[in-house]
């Protein structure tokens, strides 16, 4: 059975892929390198006041977490190092919500209420970006990984590679 988040990501992926395929010059030259080749994604909140740029692969590895807040927000996200994320506008309308350990910084637009990115507890040196807040045309595929956030500590031990996603591999 698919979760709501997985269904939304599947629909988003089909839409993004159709758009990118229709605008691609030569769709026959797709290579396996696409999964790791970084592209510039642009995105933002619903009202457009918050805008950002993020460098990430065209094939996104998205985490579908079931911790208390992610379930309520249907929060699916991919993680990037802080150096790959740039807030272009809207810092003045961002507000932050924290709870429990106060390590995660759940930022959202004060105007429209959309959280398009945040600083995750698992990766305080990076950003969790919501793929559904990206502009059309740069995402080729989305791979969804389920994360048992309701048992956060044990899940982080089992999925230690998540912490490495905010490490800048270019330096």
């Amino acid at each position: 059975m698919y979760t709501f988040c997985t269904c939304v990501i599947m629909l988003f992926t089909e839409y993004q892929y159709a758009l990118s395929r229709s605008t691609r010059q030569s769709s026959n030259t797709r290579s396996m390198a696409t999964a790791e080749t970084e592209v510039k994604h642009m995105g933002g909140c619903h009202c457009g006041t918050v805008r950002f740029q993020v460098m990430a692969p065209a094939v996104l590895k998205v985490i579908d977490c079931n911790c208390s807040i992610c379930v309520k927000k249907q929060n699916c996200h991919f993680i990037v190092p802080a150096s790959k994320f740039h807030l272009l506008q809207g810092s003045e309308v961002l507000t932050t919500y924290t709870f429990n350990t106060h390590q995660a910084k759940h930022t959202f637009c004060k105007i429209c209420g959309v959280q398009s990115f945040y600083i995750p507890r698992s990766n305080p040196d990076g950003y969790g970006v919501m793929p559904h807040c990206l502009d059309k045309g740069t995402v080729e595929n989305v791979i969804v990984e389920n994360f048992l956030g309701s048992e956060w500590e044990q899940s982080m031990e089992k999925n230690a590679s998540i912490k490495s996603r905010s490490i800048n591999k270019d330096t």
Side-chain angles (χ1 to χ4, degrees):
M1 180 173 193
Y2 293 115
T3 65
F4 174 79
C5 188
T6 303
C7 291
V8 169
I9 293 296
M10 288 169 56
L11 289 171
F12 172 78
T13 303
E14 289 175 19
Y15 177 68
Q16 286 279 350
Y17 180 71
L19 282 172
S20 66
R21 185 178 170 147
S22 68
T23 59
R24 194 172 298 144
Q25 298 277 334
S26 63
S27 60
N28 295 333
T29 59
R30 244 181 102 175
S31 70
M32 294 305 289
T34 305
E36 293 301 321
T37 303
E38 289 187 344
V39 298
K40 180 170 50 172
H41 301 281
M42 305 295 288
C45 67
H46 182 259
C47 70
T49 305
V50 174
R51 295 291 299 161
F52 63 86
Q53 168 185 311
V54 62
M55 294 299 294
V59 177
L60 300 174
K61 293 179 184 172
V62 173
I63 297 170
D64 183 3
C65 178
N66 75 342
C67 75
S68 62
I69 195 164
C70 288
V71 166
K72 295 282 185 182
K73 294 189 306 176
Q74 295 298 306
N75 180 21
C76 291
H77 61 279
F78 61 96
I79 297 171
V80 297
S83 63
K84 306 267 181 175
F85 180 89
H86 299 286
L87 182 61
L88 302 174
Q89 68 180 46
S91 62
E92 70 282 358
V93 299
L94 288 175
T95 192
T96 302
Y97 172 72
T98 66
F99 69 102
N100 194 13
T101 65
H102 302 284
Q103 290 179 323
K105 308 296 183 217
H106 299 274
T107 55
F108 58 95
C109 175
K110 290 182 198 176
I111 298 169
C112 66
V114 168
Q115 174 182 287
S116 48
F117 63 90
Y118 78 112
I119 298 173
R121 176 181 173 191
S122 62
N123 299 77
D125 55 347
Y127 285 89
V129 181
M130 289 44 181
H132 52 273
C133 290
L134 298 178
D135 296 346
K136 303 170 197 163
T138 56
V139 176
E140 289 188 12
N141 198 5
V142 175
I143 300 165
V144 178
E145 302 174 51
N146 291 315
F147 181 78
L148 191 58
S150 59
E151 298 177 15
W152 198 89
E153 286 78 11
Q154 299 91 330
S155 295
M156 282 305 295
E157 284 180 27
K158 291 178 186 174
N159 299 289
S161 66
I162 288 176
K163 286 193 177 278
S164 70
R165 294 183 186 181
S166 58
I167 296 171
N168 191 347
K169 295 169 182 81
D170 295 339
T171 57

